[in-house]
Amino acid sequence: MENKRDNFNSKLGIVAAAAGSAVGLGNIWKFPYITGRNGGGAFLIVYLICVICVAVPLVITEFALGRKTHANAMDTYKELAPNTKWYISGAIAIITAFVILAYYAIIAGWIFNYTLKSLTGQLMKVAPAELGNYFGGVISNPVSSLAWNALVLGITVGIVVAGVQNGIEKYTKVLMPLLFVLLIVLMVRSVTLPGASEGIKFLFKPDFSNLKGKSVLEALGHSFYSLSIAMGILITYGSYIKKDENIIQLSGQVAVADTVVALMAGTVIFPAVFAYGFEPDAGPTLIFQVLPAVFEAMPLGRLFSTLFFVLVGIAAITSTISLLEVVVAFVTENFKLDRKKAAIILGVLLFLLSIPSTLSFGAWSNVKIFGLGFFDLFDFVTSNICLPVVGILECIFVAHVWGVKNAISEMTSDGMYKFNLDGMYNVFIKFVAPVVILIIFLNSTNLLTPVVDFVRGFF
Ligand code: PHE
């Protein structure tokens, strides 16, 4: 542990870095389509409640854990509960971040690839009906996929090597405002297209008939994913926050930025999709298979398509650096490796780990484990199993090991800042949060119905 720890140097730097992690592919492709599918405005109301009542308190909790100990996601537990096994919870979070990065970087690679294809005009030449096959060709080509993946990992490693202040903070402080400007430009373009108002209606008009019980669970799960909870990220970033910063306020700002970007992304995508008569419910492949056709139909489409993919690329990179930082912080503080060596070695390991996932779209598409290809398997295990497990352990740890009083004391910088909701926080961290996460877990592993039926059997 001989390395001197770095800190974030400014409030803006903390918010840019944490919002950079939060704003990612989830905001730009997932949030808009799940909102559209689940009743538009009705779903938005539920999502906002989930963010405010469940996700934000967890963001504050993770920042507090990290800042209390100024340690990486695993050593935080070791310091607060020495000689116990609690550190395993931190270790799972770190492994989760590593595995997520190994597939997230692949998607980011496709985005970079599409950015170049937009810029050169190549993407504009593909007929709309051919875009699906074209995308299939792109992702099943292992050499090009791995080359783009290597570029993404290279940029990520480069920024992380430069450090917290001179790397992560410096770059996110430029990239996040740039992302915002791009969003505004694209939003103006989209909502001024003839027929755009249908898209606005699709996104914002409350339709309660499409809001099901499942929608609530989807909103909850997405609020966790979107705010990068339970991956060690916020603990690690929290460990670089100085004692005199108000982490409650910072968490609120991060959540507002994340949600505003998600809404803006929806306002970019749907008005344009509707204006040109495309279907809004293409799901995950919307940005690769539908949006290029929308841009083709639009005046100056090549320009706007390029700006759009640059925007998504920025969102992805500010997320990949947060994932890598979790692992780099752990490695530099536990092994005799400096930041540079650690980041480079991890970059190489990540590249190797991403090979099976990449091949699962092509040559290895028949290799299945539990019925899933490597890419889907990594996604399923991390998102549906590891994240909720870490989330629940974290709540139990704060409630019963570290103690709610200590947590609140750290959240308020030992009373320097006011926090009037301590009673509510107590109930939240002891009961509400663990139960809610357990329900999400059961739902995403398809165990909810059997468990509910089992419990019903007693009544
Ligand atoms: N929060 C990011 C998003 O909305 C996703 C992410 C996941 C980022 C894991 C970092 C780590 O896309």
Side-chain angles (χ1 to χ4, degrees):
M1 302 216 186
E2 67 260 26
N3 298 292
K4 196 183 157 301
R5 288 190 113 248
D6 214 347
N7 269 325
F8 286 122
N9 197 28
S10 64
K11 268 194 197 27
L12 178 69
I14 306 167
V15 176
S21 172
V23 170
L25 299 170
N27 302 57
I28 296 173
W29 65 257
K30 190 158 181 208
F31 177 80
Y33 84 78
I34 58 173
T35 305
R37 241 193 226 164
N38 287 293
F43 180 81
L44 271 185
I45 297 169
V46 176
Y47 181 73
L48 290 180
I49 296 174
C50 296
V51 168
I52 297 167
C53 299
V54 190
V56 169
L58 287 172
V59 173
I60 305 173
T61 305
E62 292 200 1
F63 272 165
L65 277 166
R67 189 177 62 180
K68 174 70 191 174
T69 58
H70 292 297
N72 62 75
M74 186 178 94
D75 292 325
T76 288
Y77 288 90
K78 279 198 177 161
E79 289 195 19
L80 293 174
N83 306 319
T84 66
K85 295 264 182 286
W86 275 102
Y87 68 89
I88 294 173
S89 174
I92 304 175
I94 295 168
I95 295 169
T96 307
F98 187 77
V99 176
I100 291 181
L101 183 48
Y103 76 77
Y104 204 84
I106 298 175
I107 311 178
W110 301 339
I111 304 276
F112 275 44
N113 189 348
Y114 267 57
T115 310
L116 183 69
K117 287 186 162 43
S118 295
L119 187 68
T120 58
Q122 215 181 328
L123 193 59
M124 297 289 118
K125 292 196 196 114
V126 185
E130 278 306 305
L131 281 165
N133 282 337
Y134 187 75
F135 179 61
V138 166
I139 65 175
S140 62
N141 177 340
V143 177
S144 117
S145 269
L146 286 172
W148 286 105
N149 180 25
L151 177 69
V152 169
L153 289 173
I155 296 173
T156 308
V157 167
I159 295 177
V160 169
V161 163
V164 175
Q165 218 173 90
N166 294 325
I168 300 176
E169 177 166 354
K170 187 170 133 193
Y171 288 98
T172 51
K173 259 161 94 173
V174 178
L175 291 174
M176 290 310 284
L178 178 62
L179 174 138
F180 209 70
V181 171
L182 287 173
L183 267 173
I184 292 177
V185 171
L186 288 160
M187 226 167 88
V188 171
R189 169 66 287 189
S190 186
V191 297
T192 51
L193 291 168
S197 59
E198 280 309 304
I200 305 270
K201 271 193 218 144
F202 174 76
L203 188 61
F204 291 107
K205 195 169 157 232
D207 171 5
F208 286 92
S209 66
N210 272 333
L211 187 72
K212 312 260 157 50
K214 253 189 141 18
S215 315
V216 178
L217 291 177
E218 207 163 347
L220 267 169
H222 187 69
S223 70
F224 282 26
Y225 184 80
S226 193
L227 283 168
S228 305
I229 291 167
M231 310 174 193
I233 292 177
L234 300 167
I235 296 185
T236 307
Y237 276 8
S239 76
Y240 305 130
I241 299 179
K242 293 181 194 148
K243 198 75 185 177
D244 57 357
E245 298 284 1
N246 183 349
I247 48 181
I248 299 176
Q249 190 186 51
L250 289 169
S251 305
Q253 290 165 348
V254 171
V256 169
D258 186 56
T259 310
V260 167
V261 169
L263 292 174
M264 289 171 79
T267 317
V268 168
I269 293 172
F270 289 116
V273 167
F274 276 88
Y276 291 105
F278 288 95
E279 292 301 321
D281 54 0
T285 51
L286 183 83
I287 61 175
F288 296 107
Q289 300 183 10
V290 178
L291 286 189
V294 172
F295 288 121
E296 277 171 35
M298 190 184 279
L300 293 182
R302 184 167 153 192
L303 170 70
F304 287 112
S305 167
T306 309
L307 294 182
F308 177 80
F309 282 106
V310 169
L311 160 81
V312 188
I314 293 175
I317 284 290
T318 53
S319 293
T320 55
I321 56 181
S322 69
L323 288 164
L324 184 60
E325 179 60 25
V326 169
V327 197
V328 165
F330 162 74
V331 170
T332 54
E333 288 166 13
N334 284 279
F335 302 97
K336 283 202 164 51
L337 278 178
D338 60 18
R339 182 169 267 281
K340 187 170 172 188
K341 282 205 194 95
I344 294 174
I345 294 174
L346 288 168
V348 172
L349 292 176
L350 282 161
F351 181 75
L352 295 175
L353 186 62
S354 66
I355 293 176
S357 296
T358 304
L359 293 178
S360 71
F361 293 104
W364 286 8
S365 60
N366 291 325
V367 182
K368 305 271 181 206
I369 299 170
F370 302 118
L372 297 172
F374 282 104
F375 183 95
D376 294 330
L377 181 74
F378 287 160
D379 179 26
F380 184 84
V381 172
T382 51
S383 308
N384 297 340
I385 299 177
C386 298
L387 295 185
V389 167
V390 170
I392 293 176
L393 290 176
E394 201 168 270
C395 296
I396 300 175
F397 181 81
V398 171
H400 303 286
V401 182
W402 188 27
V404 175
K405 265 215 180 80
N406 290 330
I408 291 182
S409 163
E410 184 57 46
M411 280 154 53
T412 57
S413 303
D414 297 331
M416 198 167 140
Y417 299 103
K418 268 216 176 74
F419 183 59
N420 299 327
L421 304 170
D422 28 356
M424 258 162 94
Y425 179 76
N426 190 27
V427 176
F428 168 81
I429 202 79
K430 284 189 178 146
F431 307 105
V432 180
V435 169
V436 161
I437 302 174
L438 182 67
I439 296 175
I440 299 179
F441 172 65
L442 293 175
N443 180 55
S444 59
T445 48
N446 285 327
L447 291 171
L448 190 57
T449 318
V451 169
V452 169
D453 289 345
F454 179 75
V455 173
R456 274 205 189 126
F458 288 97
F459 295 98

